[in-house]
Amino acid sequence: MGWLFYTDRRVKTYADEKAEIARLCTFAAVFLTRYDDGCWGYKDMEESAGPVESRAPLSLLALLSELKDPDSYAHAWRQRCRDWAAIPAYGEGDRIRLAAPVTLTDGSTCQIVTATHYRRGGKKRRCYRIEETGGLVRLSKASLAGSELLSSAKGGASPVLAEFFAGKGS
């Protein structure tokens, strides 16, 4: 799934009785693209028309004009996109406490996990090791919303690497 977007900045002039008012607006055409089972498709939708997908990149949102109505659907959509972008991307070995326990298909729950990966079909796939059982589980990005980093693997390897990742190294 990806995003294609096109922006066009145009100066529009509106006449009123005393003067012309020039206003700079930004138009963005957003196309959610998908490639499934050999078929390519897209869906074009204007932000006030009610898109459900809320994963537009922040770089796109930064290009758009300000909204006049803070209660509009477009305003809520932009906020959902910002919330999605704020969900952290954890690195290999990071120990994480999820905001709420996740119920697994066998009925058990997990709340503390460690980011790791496994290989399948030659591809590296993100998964999480459950602290209580040691089993592996795939979690959606949405399940990481509100999670807390308990410990990071970046500083654990060596003092030299810890210093480098902290920005103190040369």
Side-chain angles (χ1 to χ4, degrees), residues 86-162:
I87 297 173
Y90 293 108
E92 184 77 19
D94 287 348
R95 193 165 165 256
I96 307 150
R97 178 188 312 275
L98 303 174
V102 173
T103 303
L104 306 175
T105 55
D106 66 357
S108 65
T109 60
C110 67
Q111 190 166 13
I112 299 177
V113 295
T114 302
T116 187
H117 72 276
Y118 68 95
R119 291 198 178 272
R120 183 172 185 181
K123 293 183 180 179
K124 194 174 180 180
R125 298 182 185 261
R126 169 66 64 201
C127 66
Y128 299 86
R129 185 168 304 283
I130 303 168
E131 184 172 276
E132 295 85 11
T133 64
L136 296 178
V137 65
R138 300 272 322 260
L139 297 174
S140 67
K141 185 174 177 179
S143 65
L144 297 173
S147 60
E148 170 189 0
L149 179 64
L150 298 176
S151 63
S152 176
K154 288 183 180 176
S158 73
V160 173
L161 282 176

Side-chain angles (χ1 to χ4, degrees), residues 15-157:
D16 74 11
E17 296 174 8
K18 299 180 182 174
E20 290 185 7
I21 302 170
R23 181 175 170 183
L24 181 64
C25 294
T26 301
F27 165 78
V30 179
F31 300 92
L32 177 62
T33 61
R34 179 168 291 192
Y35 183 80
D36 290 326
D37 299 324
C39 297
W40 184 86
Y42 77 95
K43 182 175 187 177
D44 57 335
M45 184 178 288
E46 193 261 327
E47 66 180 343
S48 66
V52 174
E53 188 65 47
S54 301
R55 299 178 188 176
L58 293 178
S59 58
L60 170 67
L61 298 180
L63 296 172
L64 300 176
S65 299
E66 292 296 319
L67 294 170
K68 292 180 183 179
D69 182 10
D71 297 326
S72 68
Y73 187 91
H75 182 76
W77 176 77
R78 290 181 188 188
Q79 187 56 50
R80 285 196 322 272
C81 291
R82 288 184 191 97
D83 293 344
W84 180 261
I87 297 173
Y90 293 108
E92 184 77 19
D94 287 348
R95 193 165 165 256
I96 307 150
R97 178 188 312 275
L98 303 174
V102 173
T103 303
L104 306 175
T105 55
D106 66 357
S108 65
T109 60
C110 67
Q111 190 166 13
I112 299 177
V113 295
T114 302
T116 187
H117 72 276
Y118 68 95
R119 291 198 178 272
R120 183 172 185 181
K123 293 183 180 179
K124 194 174 180 180
R125 298 182 185 261
R126 169 66 64 201
C127 66
Y128 299 86
R129 185 168 304 283
I130 303 168
E131 184 172 276
E132 295 85 11
T133 64
L136 296 178
V137 65
R138 300 272 322 260
L139 297 174
S140 67
K141 185 174 177 179
S143 65
L144 297 173
S147 60
E148 170 189 0
L149 179 64
L150 298 176
S151 63
S152 176
K154 288 183 180 176

